[in-house]
Amino acid sequence: MDRLQAMELFLAVVEDGGFASAARRMKQPAPAVTRAVAELEARLGVRLLHRTTRVVRVTEAGARYAADCRRLLAEIRDAEEAASGVQAVIQGTLTVTAPMLLGAVHVNPIVLEYLRLYPGVDARCWFVDRVVNLIEEGVDVAVRVGDLPDSGLHAVRVGQVRQVLCASPDYLRHAGTPTTPQDLAHHTVIAAAMSVGSEWRFVKDGVGMRQPIQPRLTTTSNDAAVRAMLNGFGIARMLSYQVAEHVQQGRAVMVLRDVEPPPLPVHVVYSEGRHASQKVRGFLDLAVERLRADPVLQLP
């Protein structure tokens, strides 16, 4: 089999997470896809994929090779388009991930605008409160909150958010407003996905502080924590974008503002660097522009 075709089939397996689904998408017999990957592994002398009866996962070497394949195939497409003198039609499937609430409220409108601009593109949105592995799970672009590890991915900073404590006005009327982190020992605490643990961290005059907490409610769903807070159950630590609308409309009140930890950066993350496909570049340009103009992400 042609080596470039084998690379395309290998990438399809990585992105779809299986041989059968890759074969269907690429309109190839399943044995041909299996044989193409086996030939690549034999030529390279390394295992690219871990195969079990239930799942296919990319190896570390396979992830690096997949990134190189994406770059090489994108360069070939660009070269062919330049040589033909024909403007490329942007098409294909774009996969985007972001935290659940950030994705639903702030990223999804950008995806819809992008799809209207490029009718040849379909989109898959993974709005989940976990860190998605872009290469292993075949994701093109991620919007991430927090400091980034040195992962070899490319990132563009588009804003920042704060870690805030908030409660409903009704709760504060009957329970009082905390003025120090120590006051939290006498309040009902809601621990959300971002703050599950036995303590919350604060900063006063540049000095870090840790306050033990005993949550009455612990949930891995940020949305559930926000709803409990709005219903007057207690005080929750959330990211500022998660409660911005409720604060603006008076349904929630921020407390202990003078001891907030430093803001967390927001980045658009992608794996292909300057060799990103036109499909990805088009979304990156739009997302960076729109997110940098989003007041919720441009906090002082």
Side-chain angles (χ1 to χ4, degrees):
M1 178 179 292
D2 177 83
R3 188 175 302 183
L4 292 179
Q5 185 183 11
M7 289 179 178
E8 290 176 336
L9 295 177
F10 165 67
L11 273 181
V13 174
V14 171
E15 292 169 354
D16 290 11
F19 286 88
S21 56
R24 287 192 296 271
R25 177 157 69 90
M26 301 299 289
K27 296 181 173 57
Q28 292 285 333
V33 178
T34 303
R35 186 167 59 252
V37 174
E39 290 175 356
L40 284 175
E41 290 179 324
R43 180 181 296 115
L44 298 171
V46 296
R47 182 172 292 278
L48 301 174
L49 300 171
H50 288 303
R51 307 164 178 82
T52 70
T53 56
R54 301 180 63 182
V55 68
V56 174
R57 294 185 64 84
V58 67
T59 65
E60 183 178 351
R64 292 195 301 268
Y65 186 63
D68 289 339
C69 287
R70 284 192 184 94
R71 184 183 67 251
L72 177 61
L73 293 171
E75 289 177 346
I76 291 173
R77 285 193 297 270
D78 289 347
E80 290 176 342
E81 291 161 2
S84 66
V86 177
Q87 184 176 2
V89 176
I90 298 181
Q91 57 187 2
T93 299
L94 179 82
T95 305
V96 180
T97 186
M100 189 175 295
L101 290 177
L102 182 66
V105 178
H106 298 274
V107 178
N108 197 56
I110 301 171
V111 173
L112 297 180
E113 182 179 358
Y114 172 82
L115 293 177
R116 294 187 181 102
L117 288 172
Y118 302 107
V121 180
D122 301 323
R124 297 186 299 177
C125 295
W126 295 4
F127 298 150
V128 292
D129 289 327
R130 68 176 178 88
V131 177
V132 174
N133 187 303
L134 270 63
I135 295 175
E136 287 189 8
E137 302 185 58
V139 174
D140 296 301
V141 182
V143 180
R144 289 187 174 161
V145 177
D147 295 321
L148 299 175
D150 185 11
S151 62
L153 299 173
H154 302 269
V156 179
R157 182 161 176 158
V158 293
Q160 62 182 15
V161 295
R162 300 197 315 268
Q163 301 173 69
V164 300
L165 266 63
C166 50
S168 71
D170 285 344
Y171 174 85
L172 295 176
R173 271 193 292 271
H174 81 257
T177 299
T179 58
T180 70
Q182 291 75 23
D183 291 343
L184 294 173
H186 309 294
H187 282 267
T188 302
V189 170
I190 303 165
M194 64 152 288
S195 61
V196 171
S198 60
E199 63 183 24
W200 284 346
R201 297 184 179 185
F202 300 91
V203 175
K204 179 68 171 179
D205 298 327
V207 179
M209 300 182 294
R210 300 187 181 195
Q211 174 60 36
I213 58 168
Q214 293 183 323
R216 287 286 317 280
L217 172 65
T218 300
T219 172
T220 56
S221 165
N222 286 314
D223 184 59
V226 170
R227 291 176 184 273
M229 179 271 296
L230 293 175
N231 283 331
F233 186 76
I235 297 176
R237 166 162 276 180
M238 310 299 301
L239 295 176
S240 52
Y241 75 83
Q242 296 167 337
V243 294
E245 180 181 355
H246 304 302
V247 171
Q248 291 168 0
Q249 297 183 4
R251 295 191 296 266
V253 178
M254 295 183 185
V255 299
L256 296 180
R257 292 288 308 277
D258 60 328
V259 290
E260 285 179 9
L264 297 173
V266 180
H267 292 90
V268 176
V269 181
Y270 56 107
S271 63
E272 297 179 355
R274 65 184 181 87
H275 299 292
S277 65
Q278 290 187 333
K279 171 189 69 178
V280 172
R281 290 199 299 267
F283 183 76
L284 286 172
D285 291 343
L286 181 63
V288 168
E289 179 180 354
R290 294 292 182 264
L291 292 173
R292 283 180 171 171
D294 190 331
V296 173
L297 302 182
Q298 309 305 318
L299 301 174

